[in-house]
């Protein structure tokens, strides 16, 4: 007999036996039976059985509704143990200790005993719900199931339904000469009540709410759904059928059954709570009163945002849209729309309202300072300081100006030379957001812009980078475009004009380095980038309470096509004496969050991007390529330290950031609470960047050894899954009212540049620390 196999077999059995023993010991140790009082039985839940001589329509849906009435819910159970209840009992000891108190505070549950349950009350609730679904004359009873030795108890309910529910034969509105009856009849084509369907009280309630909303949209400002009543008649039918009649209750106030028109609209563009508006100047513009002492907001600029008009019927939809539009300006802290009923003769068939729009502005000017500690994959580290000045309502038309100046100093910590080991960074960026469309192609009143008015965004900036004794890099950027929300979920951003230009002034020493490394030189090519960009954003995460949340950001970048058409001559073409880039680039960032509870989430992300140079370009511009690694990417690897493919730079190439024109990435993260504002996370990231053919390489037939290696190891192929980097880690987050400071510690699990077959190489002793602001996805 093979002793080695015998030993292995005995070892496995011993291990399984020990594991089983520990599991049983743990479950017994955590048993709650010994804590249950002598005169109590722990309630373990209830079930319900439906009986009928005929088949029950929508039985599953009906049973699910009835099960929601089986309260209270029993204590939760996991792996055979009621952990929450166990932690609660342990914390009730005379000296529970810190750990037991902490576990009880975070996970503890109050015990639910049989004495806490009122089955007779539940019986009545079940019968009432069955009647609400048309099953009149149903009977419900219950049976207690007690296990005295285990100190447990449960309840079984049994509902006996009649053969079939009552079914609606006709649905009618009472006849009356009042105008409101005619208005209600005109809405019945959109009724939620269908003839031939079983009686359902919840549908009747929804129908009353629907009618209330429809009437308010027709000007019935004082109407309430409580003024409507349904009456049923079963006398005309032998079988279980009924007619349904809708009418107004008796003694409904007269003010509730007449429509209201807006007689006056008053806007207060610079309102302060608690101030008197009587002595302010009033300007009449486009049928509205603008009341302000000084011109804080020009009436002609504010007017398009207000949809409430004098002489029109009251409309809650127009009120809601007006409030949303005014809030989106970014100028106001509070927007309050108040309607006042004006005195009128009680016999009038129509009432009048005064609409008052109170707008409380934010501080017009603000300054923000931000100090950062920056570390990079090439060992450069140092402080960065950014100052942002914001002016809201710059030209008294809701314009927002943001000026951001930044300065930074970095030093290469591991440098063994005094050449190029320090950097100085200077920059200035400006954004001007104008809350209207400049040079519009489409009329503002088009249905495209019912939800919100597009904003025009003009951006410009420059950055100066000085790497001591090596080079100076000066870049200029600018864009002109539009941002608008199609609805509360979808945002579009279109930049018909976007331009970037980079100018390099290199030293003799750096010129020699570029000459020896042609593919490094391609990263510093001076190119004029001008084109069109478009972004589509779907943000379903605005509904924070939804269990399933989706987010999509898709981007398209088309550059150089117009310049190519305007320029003549042989390739490479130039515009204003500058060679321009030509490429197409598209990517998509898809996210899905599954909320296990209000504070527990499984967050996932998929990213895919592709850029293709063509025409006037053989290589994607350096600033438009993709990179992987870092706090918002694959956190087990330093920023810009992955790829392309299985390539790893050889020698002293600290100036070269590893880039590609293809990027694929997937992330998953479990987020959970720890203590108050402190949150935790466990995550895994995977992905890489690649090149298509010779991207990242200069033209020419003679290749260096490193360039040949870059083509061999960095080109995207059908074997790309075998070249994916994988990392995992844990994180701590300080979440202060949605402002998140994030600390992540991640270790590589799969390293793509290792030899094939050796890439799964977990390195928990070589973690990468990431510090960032905000969640990664």
């Amino acid at each position: 007999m093979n002793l080695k196999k015998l030993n292995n077999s005995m070892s496995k059995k011993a291990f399984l036996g020990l594991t089983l023993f520990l599991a049983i010991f743990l479950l017994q140790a955590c048993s709650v039976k010994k804590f249950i009082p002598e005169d109590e039985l722990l309630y373990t839940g209830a079930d319900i059985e439906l009986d009928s001589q005929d088949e029950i329509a929508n039985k599953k849906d009906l049973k699910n509704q009835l099960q929601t009435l089986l309260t209270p819910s029993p204590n939760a159970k996991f792996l055979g143990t009621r952990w929450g209840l166990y932690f609660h009992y342990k914390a009730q000891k005379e000296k529970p200790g810190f750990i037991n108190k902490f576990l009880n505070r975070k996970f503890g549950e109050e015990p639910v005993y049989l004495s806490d349950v009122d089955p007779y009350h539940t019986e009545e609730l079940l019968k009432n719900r069955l009647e609400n679904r048309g099953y009149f004359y149903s009977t419900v009873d219950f049976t207690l199931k007690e296990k005295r030795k285990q100190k447990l108890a449960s309840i079984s309910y049994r509902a006996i339904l009649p053969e079939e529910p009552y079914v609606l034969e006709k649905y009618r509105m009472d006849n009356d000469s009042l105008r409101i009856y005619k208005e209600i009849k005109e809405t019945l084509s959109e009724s939620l009540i269908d003839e031939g369907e079983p009686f359902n009280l919840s549908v009747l309630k929804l129908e009353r709410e629907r009618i209330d909303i429809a009437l308010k949209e027709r000007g019935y400002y004082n109407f309430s759904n409580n003024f409507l009543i349904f009456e049923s008649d079963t006398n005309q039918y032998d079988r279980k059928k009924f007619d349904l009649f809708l009418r107004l209750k008796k003694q409904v106030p007269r003010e509730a059954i007449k429509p209201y028109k807006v007689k006056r609209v008053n806007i207060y563009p610079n309102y302060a709570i608690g101030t008197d508006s009587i002595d302010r100047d009033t300007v009449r513009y486009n049928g509205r009163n603008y009341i302000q002492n000084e011109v804080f907001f020009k009436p002609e600029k504010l007017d398009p945002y207000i949809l409430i008009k004098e002489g029109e019927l009251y409309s809650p939809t127009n009120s809601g849209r007006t409030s949303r539009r005014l809030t989106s300006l970014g100028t106001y802290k509070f927007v309050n729309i108040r309607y006042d009923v004006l005195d009128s003769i009680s016999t009038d068939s129509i009432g009048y309202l005064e609409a008052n729009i109170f707008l409380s502005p934010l501080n017009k000017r603000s300054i923000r300072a931000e100090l950062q500690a920056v570390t990079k994959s090439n060992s450069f580290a140092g402080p960065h300081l950014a100052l942002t000045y914001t002016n809201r309502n710059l030209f008294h038309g809701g314009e927002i100006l943001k000026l951001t100046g930044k300065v930074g100093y970095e030093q290469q910590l591991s440098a063994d030379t005094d050449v190029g080991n320090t950097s100085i960074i200077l920059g200035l960026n400006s954004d001007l957001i104008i809350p209207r469309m400049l040079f519009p192609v489409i009329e503002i009143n088009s249905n495209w812009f019912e939800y919100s008015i597009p904003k025009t965004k003009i951006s410009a900036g420059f950055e100066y980078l000085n790497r001591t004794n090596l080079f100076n890099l000066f870049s200029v950027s600018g864009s002109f475009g539009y941002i608008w929300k199609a609805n509360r979920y979808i945002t579009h951003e279109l930049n018909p004009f976007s331009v970037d230009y980079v100018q390099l002034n290199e030293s003799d020493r750096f010129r020699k380095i570029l000459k020896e490394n042609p593919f490094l030189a391609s990263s510093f090519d001076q190119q004029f980038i001008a084109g069109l960009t478009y972004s589509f954003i779907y943000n379903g995460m605005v509904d924070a309470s939804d269990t399933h949340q989706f987010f999509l950001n898709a981007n398209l970048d088309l550059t150089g096509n117009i310049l190519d058409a305007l320029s003549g001559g042989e390739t490479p073409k130039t515009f204003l004496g500058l060679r321009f880039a030509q490429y197409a680039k598209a990517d998509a960032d898809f996210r899905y969050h599954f909320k296990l509870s209000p504070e527990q989430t499984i967050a996932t992300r998929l990213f895919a991007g592709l850029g293709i140079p063509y025409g006037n370009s053989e290589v994607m511009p350096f600033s438009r390529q993709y990179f992987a690694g870092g706090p918002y990417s694959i956190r087990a690897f330093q920023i810009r330290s992955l790829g392309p493919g299985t390539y790893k730079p050889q020698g002293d190439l600290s100036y070269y950031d590893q880039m590609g024109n293809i990027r694929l990435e997937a992330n998953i993260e479990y987020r959970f609470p720890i203590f108050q504002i402190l949150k935790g996370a466990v995550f895994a990231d995977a992905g890489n960047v690649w090149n298509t053919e010779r991207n990242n390489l200069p033209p020419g037939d003679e290749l260096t050894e490193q360039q040949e290696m870059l083509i061999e190891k960095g080109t995207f192929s059908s074997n790309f899954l075998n070249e994916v980097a994988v990392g995992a880690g844990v994180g701590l987050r300080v979440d202060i009212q949605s402002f998140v400071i994030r600390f992540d510690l991640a270790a590589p699990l799969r390293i793509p540049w290792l030899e094939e077959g050796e890439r799964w190489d977990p390195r928990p002793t070589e973690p990468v620390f990431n510090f960032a602001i905000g969640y990664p996805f």
Side-chain angles (χ1 to χ4, degrees), residues 480-497:
F480 176 91
Y482 308 104
I483 304 172
W484 74 95
K485 292 182 71 69
N487 52 51
R488 68 189 299 256
Y489 303 109
I490 295 176
T491 301
H492 302 273
E493 182 169 354
L494 174 65
N495 291 307
F497 172 77

Side-chain angles (χ1 to χ4, degrees), residues 47 118-123 126 140-145 154-159:
D47 58 70
D118 186 351
Y120 297 100
H121 177 66
T122 303
E123 269 189 2
L126 292 171
V140 180
D141 56 29
F142 69 90
T143 303
L144 292 178
K145 297 182 178 180
S154 62
I155 302 177
S156 290
Y157 294 91
R158 181 169 177 261

Side-chain angles (χ1 to χ4, degrees), residues 314-370:
Y314 162 77
S315 168
T317 297
N318 284 343
S319 291
R321 289 177 177 174
T322 298
S323 178
R324 183 178 61 248
R325 288 184 172 208
L326 292 170
T327 302
S328 70
L329 280 169
T331 304
Y332 292 108
K333 178 168 51 177
F334 300 114
V335 175
N336 180 28
I337 300 177
R338 189 186 73 198
Y339 288 92
D340 296 326
V341 177
L342 300 178
D343 291 335
S344 60
I345 301 174
S346 60
T347 56
D348 287 349
S349 60
I350 195 166
Y352 294 96
L353 299 171
E354 180 181 67
N356 295 285
I357 304 175
F358 301 100
L359 306 175
S360 302
L362 292 160
N363 292 332
K364 184 174 181 180
R365 300 175 184 86
S366 64
I367 295 178
R368 176 185 175 184
E370 185 176 353

Side-chain angles (χ1 to χ4, degrees), residues 118-131:
D118 186 351
Y120 297 100
H121 177 66
T122 303
E123 269 189 2
E124 293 301 317
L125 291 177
L126 292 171
K127 285 195 290 186
N128 181 262
R129 182 60 57 88
L130 288 169
E131 289 179 355

Side-chain angles (χ1 to χ4, degrees), residues 23 43 49 64 80 230 290 296 299 330 352 396 418 457 529:
Y43 176 64
E49 180 184 352
N64 288 338
F230 288 103
Y290 289 84
F296 175 80
Y352 294 96
H396 303 289
D418 60 351
K457 183 178 180 180
I529 304 173

Side-chain angles (χ1 to χ4, degrees), residues 228-267:
L228 293 170
I229 187 171
F230 288 103
E231 294 179 343
S232 60
D233 180 11
T234 61
N235 295 326
Q236 303 183 53
Y237 305 103
D238 296 332
R239 294 185 60 81
K240 294 182 178 180
K241 294 182 180 181
F242 69 99
D243 291 338
L244 190 66
F245 298 91
L246 174 66
R247 65 172 180 83
L248 292 178
K249 292 181 179 179
K250 296 179 180 179
Q251 298 179 343
V252 174
R254 186 169 183 82
E255 290 76 14
I257 59 175
K258 65 181 180 181
Y260 282 77
K261 283 187 177 181
V262 178
K263 192 171 186 178
R264 285 194 298 271
V265 179
N266 302 321
I267 300 105

